[in-house]
């Protein structure tokens, strides 16, 4: 079941935005996304929230400055996803530019698991660091920090994940930790590290470190910050939109590091017209493939590459891993759907699946695909070690996944061995023998929390577009904006007559649609089912560029037979 509804638009706010100089369409779109004043759309660096509002950031900057003066050795411990890889690279490039002696390790997810575990600390200790700096992890690493203390290693935690009941005994910079008044709680791990570097540069400036040499330009790291922020699917509030927009501008101007330029090339995307789509759906997955199937050190090496030749060699290896990841994912997805073919998914409020031959590295992606297909909170498990299985879950609006796991954990002591995450994504470990018990306990929480209305997939759109708005310049204007999580790209819904349709590449529909006497080119990607003669369609307008020519094209995201789509 699905339905199409239009976003509410506060009329007065839209009028005020139009009076401030935005077109009526853009004013309507921004008002529907919670923008109240034009200043909230300022993407200049000077509009960034001040680093001073982050709890402990001044203390961390002072400690790092002391470490630089004393020539203490820093070791960065990174998470193994795209946010972790970019945060690690930002830490390495930024700290070394500011005078630090710094190296890194990144856990292999299959050997060490997530975060600063005691085992990772023991591995780190072989490099004899004075200080461990975590990036994109550490807020839950109570045991790891304690192990580091036993070994005489200090730990500085930079993270953005939600804290548990107990914090590690370390200096922490995390906008989500208790008592932090930083106005944005949506910084990615790479954003937190960027802010720490801003504070450190200011501290070094106050100590006279740049009296006889130029200050490092931290803006040169914004291509990395933009990539990690979008790839981690954090909410694009104004502060994050500034970071992403500034990073995209550098990419479009060709002022990006060789590794990011190489990732654009192997993905067949043009950096001069870089968008958030490129970062989230082409570059991000290639970085993530290293952490999913191999070792994220490969991704970090690509981002650190100093010349085009080395960067291209590493980017091609990441591209190969991504193709392998897609093949594994498709096989698991097919198997998952085969399992579900005998299950009435409509009769369930959640999905939890496990097979002993599935791959730990892609369970999250498969869970995401199942969630999209069935509109149910979905968790997919693969074998771990010693009779344990590891799951990754994705949720739907209105169902806080981490809180749901917390409730199962408290109701059934010992059933969940460990867990963590966010509202929309989480990970957990259970004993293989307890999978059925977990599936039933999770379903019980879903039945308590989710209503039939929430289980009905709702496509929110920005209403209808008139003929004057269904034009190439409008598509170009929309394409130039920063859209993403929490600031969704505009979609519209209208009724069209299907004039022509044909299959392209055996899996895409190329369409010609008509509305009010005007015909439009359209595409329906990854769907080979024929459309009826008339549809109520949810679509995006795109400035499609092909062989040097731009043309308006509609991307059909969803359709219902005409008359069933909310008109």
């Amino acid at each position: 079941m699905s339905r199409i509804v239009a976003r509410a638009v506060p009329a007065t706010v839209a009028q005020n935005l139009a009076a401030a100089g935005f077109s009526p369409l853009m004013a309507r779109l921004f008002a529907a996304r919670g923008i109240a004043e034009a200043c909230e759309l300022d993407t200049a660096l000077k509009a960034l929230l001040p680093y001073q509002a982050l709890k402990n950031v001044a203390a961390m900057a002072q400690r790092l400055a002391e470490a630089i003066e004393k020539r203490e050795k820093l070791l960065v411990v990174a998470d193994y996803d795209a946010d972790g890889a970019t945060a690690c690279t930002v830490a390495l490039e930024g700290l070394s530019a500011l005078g630090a002696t710094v190296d890194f390790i990144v856990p292999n997810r299959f050997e060490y698991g997530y975060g600063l575990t005691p085992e990772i600390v023991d591995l780190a200790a072989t490099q004899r660091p004075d200080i461990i700096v975590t990036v994109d992890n550490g807020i839950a690493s109570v045991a790891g920090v304690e192990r580091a203390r036993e070994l005489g290693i200090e730990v500085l935690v930079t993270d953005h994940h939600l804290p548990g009941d107990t914090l590690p005994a370390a200096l922490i910079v995390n906008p989500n930790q208790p008592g932090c008044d930083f106005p944005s709680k949506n910084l990615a791990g790479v954003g937190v590290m960027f802010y720490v570097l801003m504070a450190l540069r200011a501290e070094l400036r106050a100590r006279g470190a740049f009296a006889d040499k130029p200050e490092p330009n931290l803006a040169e790291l914004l291509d990395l910050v933009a990539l990690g922020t979008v790839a981690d699917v954090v909410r694009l509030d104004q502060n994050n939109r500034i970071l992403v927009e500034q990073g995209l501008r550098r990419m479009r101007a060709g002022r990006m590091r060789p590794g990011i330029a190489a990732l654009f090339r192997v993905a067949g995307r043009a950096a001069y017209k870089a968008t958030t789509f490129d970062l989230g759906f082409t570059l991000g997955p290639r970085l993530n493939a290293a952490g999913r199937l191999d070792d994220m050190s490969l991704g970090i090496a690509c981002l650190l590459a100093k010349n085009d030749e080395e960067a291209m060699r590493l980017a091609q290896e990441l591209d190969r891993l991504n193709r392998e990841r897609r093949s594994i994912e498709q096989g698991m997805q097919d198997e998952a759907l085969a399992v579900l073919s005998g299950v009435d998914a409509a009769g369930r409020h959640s999905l939890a699946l496990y097979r002993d031959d599935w791959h730990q590295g892609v369970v999250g992606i498969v869970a995401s695909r199942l969630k999209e297909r069935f509109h149910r909170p979905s968790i997919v498990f693969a074998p771990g070690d010693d009779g344990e299985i590891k799951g990754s879950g994705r949720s739907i609006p209105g169902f806080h996944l981490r809180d749901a796991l917390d409730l199962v954990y408290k109701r059934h002591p010992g059933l969940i061995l460990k867990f963590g995450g966010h509202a929309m994504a989480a990970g957990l470990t259970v004993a293989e023998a307890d999978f059925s018990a977990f599936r039933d306990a999770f379903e019980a929480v879903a039945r308590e929390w989710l209503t039939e209305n929430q289980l009905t997939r709702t496509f929110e759109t920005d209403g209808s577009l008139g003929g004057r708005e269904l034009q190439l310049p409008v598509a170009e204007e929309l394409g130039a904006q920063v859209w993403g999580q929490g600031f969704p790209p505009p979609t519209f819904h209208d009724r069209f007559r299907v004039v022509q349709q044909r299959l392209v590449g055996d899996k895409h529909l190329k369409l010609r649609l008509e509305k009010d006497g005007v015909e439009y080119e359209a595409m329906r990607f990854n769907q080979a089912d024929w459309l009826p003669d008339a549809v109520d369609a949810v679509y995006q307008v795109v400035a499609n560029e092909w062989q040097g020519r731009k043309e308006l094209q509609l991307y059909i995201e969803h359709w219902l037979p005409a008359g069933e789509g909310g008109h």
Side-chain angles (χ1 to χ4, degrees):
M1 291 287 292
S2 62
R3 60 184 174 179
I4 302 171
V5 299
R7 290 187 177 91
V9 180
T12 303
V13 174
Q15 290 166 7
N16 291 341
L17 290 172
F22 293 100
S23 69
L25 174 60
M26 297 307 294
R28 178 177 117 205
L29 297 176
F30 290 142
R33 284 154 180 76
I35 299 298
E37 301 178 43
C39 63
E40 296 174 45
L41 294 161
D42 186 355
T43 55
L45 279 174
K46 63 178 175 16
L48 273 177
L49 292 169
Y51 66 81
Q52 292 89 342
L54 274 168
K55 181 179 179 179
N56 294 334
V57 77
M60 188 172 289
Q62 290 166 7
R63 182 64 189 93
L64 287 169
E66 290 172 8
I68 290 170
E69 290 173 357
K70 295 178 180 177
R71 301 188 185 280
E72 292 178 296
K73 181 177 180 180
L74 308 178
L75 185 68
V76 175
V77 176
D79 189 14
Y80 41 65
D81 64 1
D83 186 19
T86 52
C88 182
T89 309
V90 163
L92 293 168
E93 298 277 47
L95 289 169
S96 60
L98 290 165
T101 302
V102 59
D103 203 345
F104 81 99
I105 59 172
V106 57
N108 181 304
R109 70 164 67 198
F110 310 112
E111 293 180 39
Y112 295 102
Y114 170 76
L116 187 71
T117 61
E119 294 80 8
I120 277 295
V121 172
D122 288 339
L123 179 64
T126 63
Q127 298 195 27
R128 306 180 68 81
D130 298 293
I131 301 173
I132 287 174
V133 180
T134 71
V135 293
D136 193 32
N137 75 95
I139 194 66
S141 300
V142 176
V145 170
E146 175 60 24
R147 177 60 180 156
R149 188 193 64 77
E150 292 171 0
L151 296 173
I153 304 170
E154 188 176 351
V155 177
L156 303 178
V157 171
T158 75
D159 200 355
H160 70 122
H161 293 95
L162 298 175
D165 295 333
T166 304
L167 295 179
L171 193 58
I172 301 168
V173 176
N174 179 339
N176 290 301
Q177 70 175 309
C180 184
D181 297 326
F182 193 71
S184 168
K185 303 301 181 184
N186 303 306
L187 280 175
V190 68
V192 175
M193 191 63 230
F194 183 72
Y195 263 80
V196 168
L197 291 175
M198 286 195 286
L200 174 57
R201 184 177 61 179
E203 175 66 23
L204 291 172
R205 183 188 302 135
R207 295 182 180 216
F210 307 117
D212 56 355
K213 59 183 177 182
E215 293 188 5
N217 180 10
L218 297 181
E220 292 176 357
L221 301 171
L222 285 167
D223 54 349
L224 292 163
V225 178
L227 174 54
T229 298
V230 173
D232 210 46
V233 203
V234 292
R235 184 178 182 85
L236 293 190
D237 58 15
Q238 182 182 6
N239 206 60
N240 278 338
R241 291 199 304 275
I242 294 169
L243 295 171
V244 172
E245 171 65 23
Q246 291 293 328
L248 285 171
R249 287 182 188 179
R250 298 187 72 84
M251 295 175 198
R252 292 169 188 152
R255 291 183 292 133
M256 74 202 104
R257 64 205 56 251
I260 288 181
L263 286 170
F264 270 104
R265 288 198 295 275
V266 297
R269 307 292 292 187
Y272 74 86
K273 54 179 182 178
T275 67
T276 50
F277 178 90
D278 294 315
L279 305 187
F281 292 96
T282 57
L283 274 66
R286 283 167 173 78
L287 266 186
N288 277 326
R292 293 186 188 283
L293 299 186
D294 194 341
D295 187 324
M296 187 47 92
S297 299
L298 179 68
I300 295 169
C302 179
L303 296 177
L304 288 170
K306 299 303 181 188
N307 60 68
D308 293 342
E309 182 180 2
E310 180 189 8
M312 185 52 114
R313 176 180 61 78
L314 293 164
Q316 286 171 337
E317 178 61 13
L318 290 171
D319 188 58
R320 183 194 68 75
L321 284 172
N322 192 51
R323 289 195 302 273
E324 182 182 342
R325 185 272 304 169
R326 280 201 301 250
S327 175
I328 294 170
E329 173 202 333
Q330 187 61 55
M332 285 175 57
Q333 188 176 332
D334 291 344
E335 289 166 0
L337 293 175
V339 170
L340 287 169
S341 65
V343 176
D344 179 14
R348 297 189 61 81
H349 285 55
S350 68
L351 298 173
L353 298 176
Y354 165 64
R355 274 185 51 154
D356 60 11
D357 59 348
W358 282 350
H359 195 291
Q360 215 181 103
V362 297
V363 288
I365 299 175
V366 176
S368 181
R369 299 287 188 268
L370 292 175
K371 181 264 298 183
E372 291 165 7
R373 184 176 182 114
F374 295 104
H375 197 64
R376 299 288 187 273
S378 300
I379 302 179
V380 176
F381 289 87
D385 297 321
D386 302 323
E388 297 176 353
I389 58 176
K390 296 187 176 184
S392 185
R394 300 294 184 269
S395 195
I396 62 176
F399 189 83
H400 195 296
L401 190 53
R402 185 194 175 280
D403 287 355
L405 294 178
D406 187 49
L407 184 55
V408 173
Y409 179 82
K410 289 170 179 171
R411 280 183 177 174
H412 306 273
L415 183 58
I416 297 179
L417 303 176
K418 54 186 175 182
F419 71 97
H422 299 294
M424 303 304 286
L428 72 158
T429 301
V430 301
E432 183 177 17
D434 289 338
F435 168 70
S436 297
F438 167 78
R439 180 187 59 205
D440 295 343
F442 184 63
E443 173 70 9
V445 174
R447 286 184 177 275
E448 291 172 26
W449 287 9
L450 286 168
T451 65
E452 286 301 323
N453 193 46
Q454 290 170 312
L455 291 171
T456 300
R457 187 192 307 270
T458 300
F459 289 88
E460 267 196 319
T461 79
D462 294 289
S464 175
L465 280 184
R468 291 184 178 180
E469 295 170 322
L470 267 172
Q471 303 283 346
L472 181 60
V474 169
E476 291 178 312
E477 184 179 17
L478 294 177
Q481 300 293 323
V482 169
W483 311 104
Q485 181 70 19
F487 204 73
T491 58
F492 307 94
H493 72 266
D494 280 294
R495 183 164 299 169
F496 294 96
R497 183 172 65 88
V498 179
V499 177
Q500 191 179 85
Q501 53 186 321
R502 63 184 176 88
L503 269 180
V504 178
D506 293 330
K507 61 177 182 176
H508 311 301
L509 271 184
K510 187 170 177 60
L511 302 153
R512 196 156 183 83
L513 305 177
E514 180 266 330
K515 175 178 178 278
D516 298 332
V518 180
E519 293 189 1
Y520 303 95
E521 295 290 332
M523 290 294 299
R524 172 81 165 137
F525 290 106
N526 297 310
Q527 295 290 333
D529 297 332
W530 297 107
L531 273 58
D533 293 339
V535 294
D536 289 328
V538 176
Y539 63 96
Q540 292 189 38
V541 292
V542 178
N544 184 51
E545 191 169 339
W546 175 249
Q547 295 183 337
R549 292 178 58 248
K550 278 187 181 180
E551 64 175 9
L552 175 71
Q553 197 167 62
L554 313 184
Y555 286 178
I556 307 300
E557 291 190 358
H558 180 70
W559 63 270
L560 292 170
E564 298 180 17
H567 277 64

